[in-house]
Amino acid sequence: MRQSCTDEFMEFAAGRAGHLFRSACLLTSGDTHLAEDLVQETLGRLYVVWGRMARVGNPAGYAQTVLVRTYLAQARRRSSSERPLAELPETTTGRGDDPALRVALLHALARLGPKDRAVVVLRYWEDRSVEETAAAMNVSAAAVRTRSTRALTRLREQLGGSLAELVPAH
């Protein structure tokens, strides 16, 4: 029984690790090392409760929730030890082929606070509903709507007209 549970977890982890890593990269504004740590911690927490996962209807969604909550907890702990970098490291987290657009978006995301960044990633990258985002972040739906509006306003202010210049015309 224990071995089959471990095998099921290993199969789940292998299938979801890439998706979790991409989300973690967006949450951490391209910090791949921190993203790897977040994924590892998330998978470790899931392994501990994997035997009880039969009660959870959507293990992938639960994993994303654990990832976001782990990120927010680390952001609170790390807030005094963060050091800005002069340049963003090379990343391969974007879905598009335009590196300039990807870097501009990552820079803009990096300037958002952790909770704003989490809302943007969950709502617009993960394509979650307001209610799903609220549950993942352990806040009200109204807080998610407010934070989404403010975060998008900040992104628009930061990107200004530069985003239009970076998006290729079709």
Side-chain angles (χ1 to χ4, degrees):
M1 173 75 175
R2 180 90 171 126
Q3 184 60 38
S4 69
C5 191
T6 300
D7 291 343
E8 286 176 15
F9 174 77
M10 295 302 287
E11 183 179 330
F12 173 81
R16 292 301 298 172
H19 185 78
L20 289 170
F21 179 72
R22 286 187 296 277
S23 294
C25 281
L26 290 169
L27 288 170
T28 62
S29 300
D31 184 340
T32 57
H33 299 292
L34 181 56
E36 288 171 352
D37 290 346
L38 282 171
V39 171
Q40 283 301 104
E41 189 168 340
T42 297
L43 292 175
R45 290 180 182 193
L46 285 174
Y47 181 75
V48 170
V49 299
W50 190 255
R52 297 176 285 187
M53 288 298 284
R55 289 183 259 166
V56 175
N58 182 1
Y62 183 76
Q64 287 298 124
T65 298
V66 171
L67 177 75
V68 170
R69 289 184 180 173
T70 301
Y71 161 72
L72 290 173
Q74 281 191 357
R76 282 190 295 271
R77 287 191 306 261
R78 293 182 47 153
S79 64
S80 64
S81 64
E82 290 181 357
R83 285 172 294 208
L85 299 174
E87 292 186 35
L88 191 65
E90 276 298 312
T91 61
T92 58
T93 59
R95 289 186 175 177
D97 293 345
D98 187 358
L101 176 60
R102 188 168 49 242
V103 169
L105 291 172
L106 283 174
H107 277 298
L109 275 173
R111 289 189 292 264
L112 293 178
K115 289 182 180 179
D116 288 345
R117 195 175 319 140
V119 165
V120 169
V121 169
L122 289 171
R123 288 281 293 130
Y124 304 104
W125 174 262
E126 294 289 329
D127 199 27
R128 289 189 179 201
S129 70
V130 170
E131 292 75 21
E132 291 170 329
T133 302
M137 294 182 64
N138 204 23
V139 297
S140 69
V144 169
R145 285 190 291 273
T146 301
R147 198 167 283 281
S148 293
T149 301
R150 290 179 184 165
L152 289 176
T153 299
R154 284 190 202 111
L155 284 174
R156 286 183 188 107
E157 288 170 356
Q158 290 173 22
L159 293 170
S162 66
L163 185 60
E165 298 165 5
L166 294 172
V167 177
H170 294 297

